[in-house]
């Protein structure tokens, strides 16, 4: 009888980023502008890595994948966020929520693996330059990128499958501006121990292992660079890693700050913390994809030249 009286949730209500209309208008303009920059910046990077034969190398192949991933990641959530600013009641169906979670979760896990693949590419290029053409051949780096996408998709499929099987029969209000899996699990009217354990294992595999792999790769890279006799040689070698290292620090730094900071036990402090969590999530979901093409364009002469040539050709053609 108790189960019969419960209402099965078919849609969720998103509380959004802010409940102040004037502030929401500001957020709408800001997020829309950042999203357009993400589409433009990463779109141009994808096109130059495809059409410029000088950039047909493993590093730029991974960079093109990273740019495509950033576009997919933001597109899976930003249109929903923008629509939420324009509608008074921010609702999303159960199936749409599951799809949005799957895409964002898959893109996040894929980027973790892809960044570690890019670290390996830089390790081979600097520590074993003579073997680089053999180790990082097309037969190697294409499967490396493919496996990154497959691993991220498989992990997301497991996590979302476990989440959607849970019964949601009470509160349907998600205290977030997107369907965030941790916020969703709080609404389940069942034991979520398996979900928590599964996500913990996934965090170790897709966060812990890549961080360790990247750290060890850069330890060997820095050791090799420091052994280079000339200052100019050291500067040139490090410049090839600077962009990737910067992206890694921004990406993982945001994630670690978001999940490692202490939780407030005070109700008023918890409310402020919810807002803080949303802003950090926004930073992670928008600012990082926006910075990636800027970082690579400003710090890489090949990309800078290719982008200038691409833009000038398009303008001349028009």
């Amino acid at each position: 009888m108790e189960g019969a009286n419960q209402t099965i949730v078919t849609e969720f209500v998103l509380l959004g980023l802010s409940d102040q209309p004037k502030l929401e208008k500001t957020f709408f303009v800001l997020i829309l502008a950042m999203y357009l920059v993400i589409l433009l910046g990463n779109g141009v990077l994808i096109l130059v890595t495809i059409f410029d034969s000088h950039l047909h190398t493993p590093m730029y192949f991974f960079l093109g994948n990273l740019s495509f991933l950033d576009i997919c990641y933001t597109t899976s959530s930003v249109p929903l966020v923008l629509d939420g600013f324009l509608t008074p009641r921010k609702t999303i169906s159960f199936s749409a929520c599951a799809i949005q979670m799957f895409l964002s979760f898959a893109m996040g896990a894929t980027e973790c693996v892809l960044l570690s693949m890019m670290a390996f590419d830089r390790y081979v290029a600097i520590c074993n330059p003579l073997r680089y053409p053999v180790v990082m051949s097309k037969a190697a780096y294409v499967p490396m990128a493919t496996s990154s996408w497959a691993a991220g998709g498989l992990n997301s499929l497991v996590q979302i499958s476990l989440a959607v099987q849970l019964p949601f029969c009470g509160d349907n209000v998600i205290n977030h501006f997107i369907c965030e899996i941790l916020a969703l699990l709080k609404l389940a009217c069942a034991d979520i121990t398996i979900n928590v354990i599964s996500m913990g294992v996934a965090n170790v595999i897709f966060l812990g292992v890549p961080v360790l792999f990247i750290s060890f790769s850069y330890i060997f890279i820095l050791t090799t660079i420091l052994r280079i006799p000339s200052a100019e040689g050291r500067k040139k070698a490090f410049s090839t890693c600077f962009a990737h290292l910067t992206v890694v620090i921004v990406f993982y730094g945001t994630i670690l700050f978001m999940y490692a900071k202490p939780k407030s036990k005070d109700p008023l402090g918890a409310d402020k913390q919810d807002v803080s969590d949303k802003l950090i999530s926004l930073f992670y979901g928008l600012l990082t994809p926006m910075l990636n093409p800027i970082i690579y364009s400003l710090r890489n002469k090949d990309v800078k030249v290719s982008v200038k040539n691409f833009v000038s050709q398009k303008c001349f053609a028009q």
Side-chain angles (χ1 to χ4, degrees):
M1 289 295 294
E2 182 180 353
N5 292 331
Q6 291 177 334
T7 302
I8 303 301
V9 173
T10 58
E11 67 176 14
F12 295 100
V13 178
L14 301 172
L15 288 185
L17 191 60
S18 171
D19 56 358
Q20 300 180 18
K22 291 184 179 180
L23 196 58
E24 285 200 339
K25 292 179 181 178
T26 303
F27 279 130
F28 177 86
V29 174
L30 180 62
I31 293 173
L32 178 60
M34 294 175 70
Y35 182 53
L36 293 177
V37 172
I38 290 170
L39 294 180
L40 178 62
N42 287 287
V44 170
L45 269 184
I46 293 172
L47 291 175
V48 298
T49 56
I50 292 175
F51 293 109
D52 192 333
S53 58
H54 297 93
L55 301 184
H56 290 176
T57 63
M59 182 174 70
Y60 298 114
F61 177 77
F62 288 131
L63 178 58
N65 274 262
L66 183 63
S67 294
F68 180 68
L69 186 149
D70 284 338
I71 290 177
C72 293
Y73 179 79
T74 53
T75 302
S76 69
S77 58
V78 171
L80 175 65
V81 176
L82 294 175
D83 179 68
F85 288 132
L86 300 176
T87 55
R89 183 174 173 82
K90 308 171 182 66
T91 60
I92 182 172
S93 66
F94 189 94
S95 57
C97 183
I99 293 172
Q100 192 272 319
M101 284 193 301
F102 171 81
L103 292 175
S104 60
F105 215 94
M107 297 303 107
T110 300
E111 185 160 358
C112 291
V113 181
L114 192 60
L115 288 174
S116 66
M117 298 294 184
M118 296 173 76
F120 178 74
D121 172 74
R122 293 299 83 206
Y123 162 76
V124 178
I126 293 176
C127 299
N128 296 282
L130 297 179
R131 296 191 60 199
Y132 183 78
V134 177
V135 176
M136 294 303 298
S137 63
K138 188 173 183 179
Y141 67 76
V142 172
M144 288 169 65
T146 303
S147 64
S148 300
W149 287 91
L154 181 60
N155 173 61
S156 182
L157 183 63
V158 171
Q159 303 303 328
I160 305 307
S161 296
L162 291 175
V164 297
Q165 291 179 26
L166 292 170
F168 296 92
C169 47
D171 188 8
N172 70 333
V173 178
I174 299 178
N175 188 14
H176 215 281
F177 54 86
I178 59 173
C179 277
E180 205 270 336
I181 191 167
L182 294 179
L184 181 72
L185 290 178
K186 295 178 182 178
L187 306 181
C189 49
D191 185 21
I192 60 171
T193 303
I194 295 179
N195 302 77
V196 173
I197 293 174
S198 177
M199 290 188 65
V201 173
N203 286 338
V204 171
I205 296 174
F206 289 93
L207 288 177
V209 173
V211 166
L212 287 176
F213 186 84
I214 293 171
S215 300
F216 281 115
S217 296
Y218 272 100
I219 289 174
F220 288 113
I221 288 172
L222 292 175
T223 302
T224 302
I225 291 176
L226 292 175
R227 288 203 298 260
I228 298 176
S230 67
E232 185 64 26
R234 290 194 296 269
K235 182 180 178 181
K236 184 178 180 181
F238 183 74
S239 65
T240 64
C241 303
F242 182 84
H244 174 259
L245 188 58
T246 304
V247 170
V248 167
I249 292 173
V250 172
F251 179 77
Y252 284 107
T254 307
I255 294 178
L256 293 176
F257 180 78
M258 184 164 51
Y259 289 104
K261 62 190 181 71
K263 302 296 182 182
S264 174
K265 295 181 180 180
D266 178 63
L268 296 177
D271 292 338
K272 294 180 180 179
Q273 183 175 288
D274 288 337
V275 176
S276 174
D277 288 342
K278 293 176 184 179
L279 291 175
I280 294 171
S281 180
L282 182 67
F283 174 87
Y284 166 73
L286 280 176
L287 197 56
T288 303
M290 187 180 70
L291 287 177
N292 286 351
I294 296 175
I295 292 170
Y296 275 99
S297 297
L298 292 178
R299 297 296 306 184
N300 191 295
K301 292 181 179 179
D302 293 334
V303 174
K304 193 184 299 184
V305 171
S306 296
V307 170
K308 287 182 179 179
N309 292 337
F310 178 81
V311 173
S312 62
Q313 288 175 3
K314 292 299 179 183
C315 292
F316 182 76
Q318 291 178 352

